[in-house]
Amino acid sequence: MPKNAESLQRAWDLLVAAGAVVAAIDIPARLALDYRATARATPLDWALTIIFLADMLRHLHRAGWMGARSLPGTWKPARRYAGWWFVIDLSAAIPVAAFSAPPLLQLLRLLKLGRIAERMWHWRRAEFQNPNIIRLAFFFFWLALSTHWIACGWLALRGASADVDQTTNYLRALYWSITTLATVGYGDITPSTNVEMLYAMLVMILGVGVYGYVIGNVAALLANMDPARVRHRELVDRVTAFMRYRRIPAGLQRRILDYYEYLWEKRLGYDESAAISGLPPALRTEVSLFLNRDILQKVPLFGGASDDFIKAIALEMRPMIFMPGDYVMRAGDPGEEMYFISRGTVEVVSAEGDVVYATLTTGDFFGEIALLLRQPRTASVRVVDYCDLYVLSVAAFNRVLTRYPGFAVHIRAVAKQRQEANEKHQGWNERRQF
Ligand code: CMP
């Protein structure tokens, strides 16, 4: 859906929701305060009728009933819409006050709140960051409406007093509703008839439930403010206890803790590959592409590559972190992987580590020579500052090489250049020693 249409739809949904809330506040209040006056349709009634009717037509249109999408197959949503939602939308749109129907039937408009409940349900499912906050916010919304309804119910039972104005009548009822629901119950407004007593007891029981729910949710909210941080803290505590128990040297301990700190800063301590391993292949490709977009954009080698190639590479790459001073590989080791630098700097050095052949940084790659020529590593690679690398295993490297000859050509050319440079360097060094 185009962006404009989407914002328009959102604005319309908001208008309908606002209409439903206004109706949910206005109609019960009018019924409780001035029952007889509700027999007339007000301008607000007509406005709500127009909005709700338009909303119903919009839903009909979307369900394919109005010829917009009379393609085969569209009968399904249409049939679905013909069920409860159609009844709800239609009942909420009827201007009951315009007919000589019992005023209580005006409460049918409140059915439109079902649309808000449905939206909230979708939001809650889509919200992963703070589900508890969202749940509590929605709860307070319904609580506020319920408090108002309970106040209106109390007013309807007692009848508005003629000694004071309507606002005072309503405020007194609202005061009673809030003190009873909050389980405070000062007892300054007390039920006098049996029905009032029953009503008060019901509201008190409801109040106890509300109180428990709020306390429970706030506690859960505080405990889970940041579950990732809590998990990370636990992990670091476990590692620290282990290091103390095994008397790991202080310097090494500091390096380990530094590593965990860096991990937390950069990736929130989350193992990405494990998190997406359960997804179906198509979805996993899309997530991998998104996660690895950084490196795919930074490496010039992937610049003009086809979508297929990028997808293949994105699926195969694994992130890894190295710390300053670490050796990613040592000269003479067997080669099992090649690396792409997503962030940081490394030095390509001789076996003894005294000669620096090259410094590689973001967007560069290394470790390809051993894989191409099936020989031990030609040089060591030492990390200069914190490095985020992406690793391609030898199996994946070979798969990509056979499927995408362009990649093979480029990588072979770079490997050849590097080997020649090293040979020249070594020859020059040997001559200098003579
Ligand atoms: P490999 O031999 O598998 O392991 C060491 C890696 O260092 C090597 O592959 C190259 O990717 C890289 N390398 C070696 N020499 C140079 C150089 N002169 N310039 C840049 N990179 C190099």
Side-chain angles (χ1 to χ4, degrees), residues 94-373:
I94 299 172
V96 174
F99 308 112
S100 48
L104 266 184
L105 278 183
Q106 290 182 32
L107 290 174
L108 279 175
R109 281 238 201 267
L110 270 60
L111 287 175
K112 201 69 181 174
L113 289 172
R115 285 281 178 203
I116 298 187
E118 187 209 15
R119 278 270 115 221
M120 284 181 170
W121 187 75
H122 285 297
W123 273 338
R124 257 178 66 173
R125 273 175 27 135
E127 170 65 48
F128 298 116
Q129 293 280 334
N130 290 310
N132 278 327
I133 293 186
I134 289 279
R135 189 164 356 130
L136 219 56
F138 289 168
F139 174 77
F140 279 119
F141 168 79
W142 292 115
L143 183 64
L145 271 187
S146 308
T147 313
H148 168 70
W149 292 334
I150 289 169
C152 292
W154 181 250
L155 250 179
L157 280 183
R158 297 208 120 186
S161 160
D163 306 339
V164 288
D165 60 6
Q166 301 288 51
T167 314
T168 315
N169 267 319
Y170 174 73
L171 276 179
R172 277 188 189 162
L174 189 66
Y175 167 82
W176 176 86
S177 167
I178 291 175
T179 48
T180 314
L181 261 184
T183 66
V184 177
Y186 288 117
D188 47 353
I189 301 178
T190 48
S192 44
T193 65
N194 285 356
V195 185
E196 281 176 23
M197 252 186 286
L198 275 173
Y199 186 73
M201 281 191 282
L202 267 177
V203 177
M204 282 176 208
I205 293 172
L206 198 72
V208 173
V210 167
Y211 190 72
Y213 185 90
V214 173
I215 296 288
N217 265 279
V218 171
L221 187 77
L222 292 179
N224 299 324
M225 221 34 173
D226 189 352
R229 178 96 233 181
V230 173
R231 254 199 328 268
H232 183 73
R233 199 62 262 159
E234 280 170 7
L235 175 70
V236 173
D237 286 349
R238 264 203 315 274
V239 172
T240 313
F242 159 77
M243 292 190 302
R244 286 216 186 105
Y245 176 64
R246 295 305 306 257
R247 293 176 207 272
I248 306 266
L252 194 53
Q253 282 197 27
R254 209 174 28 252
R255 276 168 60 77
I256 292 173
L257 292 179
D258 279 355
Y259 165 74
Y260 277 115
E261 195 50 45
Y262 182 77
L263 201 68
W264 169 251
E265 271 171 28
K266 295 295 175 220
R267 276 157 226 268
L268 295 170
Y270 210 63
D271 181 0
E272 292 172 358
S273 43
I276 62 167
S277 63
L279 295 177
L283 212 52
R284 201 167 60 224
T285 311
E286 236 171 88
V287 180
S288 300
L289 269 178
F290 175 76
L291 290 176
N292 297 343
R293 69 196 183 291
D294 240 23
I295 180 76
L296 294 171
Q297 280 162 6
K298 281 178 198 159
V299 178
L301 180 61
F302 301 146
S306 69
D307 280 359
D308 273 358
F309 173 77
I310 295 285
K311 273 186 191 160
I313 285 272
L315 262 185
E316 304 280 9
M317 288 202 299
R318 244 172 337 108
M320 248 188 191
I321 294 170
F322 286 87
M323 298 174 68
D326 281 353
Y327 275 83
V328 183
M329 58 184 61
R330 299 254 184 197
D333 282 354
E336 301 291 344
E337 285 148 340
M338 77 166 289
Y339 299 80
F340 296 89
I341 307 177
S342 162
R343 184 185 3 227
T345 314
V346 300
E347 280 175 344
V348 182
V349 296
S350 62
E352 294 74 29
D354 49 351
V355 185
V356 177
Y357 296 141
T359 303
L360 304 177
T361 173
T362 305
D364 288 330
F365 59 86
F366 59 88
E368 77 294 351
I369 298 180
L371 304 196
L372 277 174
L373 306 178

